[in-house]
Amino acid sequence: MSMPISNTAMPSAPYKYVSLPNAVKSTSKTMKFSPSNGTSFTPVTSNNICRIDVRANGFLCGNESFLKFTIGNGSDQPIVADPMASGVIDRVRILSGSTVLSDISGYAELANHLVQVSGSDDLLRTLSIVSGLDANNNNYPILGGTTANDFVVQVGSGPITNAESETFTIPLLAGILSGSRYVPLEFLAGGLTIEIYFQTTFLKAFMASTGTAPTTAVYTVSNVEYVAKIVQIDDDVAMNSLKQLQLTQGLKIKSFDWSLYQNTITSANSNFNIPARNMSLKSLVMLLTHPSPTAVISGIQSYRSNTTAYSVRIGSIQYPIQDIVVDNTASSKNLCEAFSELMKCYNSGGLYNVLGSTAVFQPHFNNQATYTKAGSFAMGISFENYGESDLFSGLDTATLSLPINFKITMSATPAVNLNALCYSNFDVVYTILPNGMVQVDF
């Protein structure tokens, strides 16, 4: 997920990692691209995959573009988003022809995590306007009473009642669209296709605002559009230079991306193999989510549960050398060590174009096993040596193919078999070859 505001370079500099030429004559416009496989989607009962072809003469600015859609409530209860409009998305794929440029599963969980952990007050205010996030932390009644539940959102000005709908926009977090580089659409032989997989489980995407589970649990997504900022270069010399560069070296676009490795916690001591093979692995982030979302239990929020320590071992080396301690006993409290390590994963300013910001509330980061409340706990390990740099400074796990193990220690087996969602964050380079095909190196 990227912010609408960015520092973008254009046109030839991003592909050679050098300084930006001055005063390139250009124009920009907004273009809307609609799905090629339908106008309305009912994910719980029928088609949940939306395909959008993005083709234009010009350069796409991914982090100043966004996805717009309308959510319609077909259930018999008022609903609120969990935790915002991105909660309806389970997976995002970006393709050029048959080449997969990005494939992120567990999208809603990752988007929620990034908003909370590396967001800012400004980001929350923006998302409250466009994405249904309640930045004021308004709550809604729990089942059977009027006590405020410590959840975080309502949809827009309030719950969507039966037969109502509301329109939202969200930025897309997905590889080539996430960085600050322009994408030369007219150079892509296969164009660009965005595939959105919507949630097929109703209570994964929504909470029931009254605390009562709906007996008819369906929703619709309609009026889907990818609203793109397209820049056209009116300087013939600059365009000819780019075309010549493509024919001789290929155009190289540096960005970052995410992959999900999913496991299940069934005991107090877990050691998961994470087969992340990357030339520059930036970080690993582990989220613990509830496997059975209900009217008042989130399947997207991440919980601390009974975690007491964690670490990552790659080959014979442990990161960090000593386990990261998570302690919230009556006699000793230590959540700052885990949070400080997590913030190392997000201090480069590349995810939201901010430096070291966070929107986490301490009670949510400390959420132990009260699954009816918001949770933002996460376990992170950074492998980058140079934080604010355009260098590839992550860990090379591709060359040696060393085993990667994520170890989690708990004080007791959790009451439910929690989902253990491990996301790898890595550098990626997209090379647009002379024939217009795209080579992906990560």
Side-chain angles (χ1 to χ4, degrees), residues 7-24 181-182 233:
N7 297 318
T8 5
M10 193 68 202
S12 61
Y15 312 109
K16 296 190 294 185
Y17 312 121
V18 295
S19 300
L20 170 67
N22 293 327
V24 175
R181 310 306 192 193
Y182 286 98
I233 304 303

Side-chain angles (χ1 to χ4, degrees), residues 257-273:
D257 208 355
W258 298 84
S259 286
L260 170 64
Y261 305 94
Q262 183 167 345
N263 291 280
T264 303
I265 290 183
T266 58
S267 65
N269 296 291
S270 302
N271 200 336
F272 299 119
N273 175 256

Side-chain angles (χ1 to χ4, degrees), residues 237-257:
V237 174
M239 284 300 295
N240 289 334
S241 175
L242 272 183
K243 291 177 181 178
Q244 185 62 31
L245 181 62
Q246 181 198 12
L247 292 175
T248 55
Q249 304 177 34
L251 301 180
K252 297 183 182 295
I253 304 174
K254 180 180 183 293
S255 187
F256 61 90
D257 208 355

Side-chain angles (χ1 to χ4, degrees), residues 72-230:
N73 181 12
S75 76
D76 56 353
Q77 292 290 333
I79 57 174
V80 294
D82 184 10
M84 56 182 177
S86 59
V88 301
I89 299 178
D90 180 54
R91 181 183 181 189
V92 173
R93 295 208 314 162
I94 310 296
L95 303 95
S96 180
S98 60
T99 302
V100 178
L101 308 185
S102 177
D103 189 348
I104 303 177
S105 297
Y107 184 91
E109 294 92 328
L110 179 61
N112 176 49
H113 165 74
L114 293 178
V115 165
Q116 294 188 82
V117 177
S118 62
S120 65
D121 289 341
D122 288 337
L123 174 64
L124 295 184
R125 282 193 291 271
T126 298
L127 294 179
S128 70
I129 295 171
V130 301
S131 304
L133 180 68
D134 184 0
N136 293 321
N137 198 26
N138 290 333
N139 304 313
Y140 58 88
I142 61 173
L143 177 61
T146 58
T147 304
N149 190 4
D150 193 19
F151 221 78
V152 290
V153 299
Q154 291 184 358
V155 177
S157 58
I160 301 179
T161 60
N162 185 31
E164 283 188 341
S165 63
E166 192 162 346
T167 299
F168 306 96
T169 67
I170 60 171
L172 276 182
L173 166 78
I176 199 168
L177 303 181
S178 298
S180 60
R181 310 306 192 193
Y182 286 98
V183 181
L185 295 175
E186 60 190 280
F187 289 28
L188 301 178
L192 203 67
T193 299
I194 301 173
E195 286 187 350
I196 308 294
Y197 292 67
F198 296 113
Q199 302 280 8
T200 57
T201 302
F202 182 86
L203 290 175
K204 180 71 177 290
F206 306 102
M207 305 289 286
S209 66
T210 62
T212 302
T215 56
T216 303
V218 294
Y219 71 100
T220 60
V221 180
S222 59
N223 304 320
V224 182
E225 292 178 331
Y226 184 64
V227 183
K229 176 182 177 180
I230 304 294

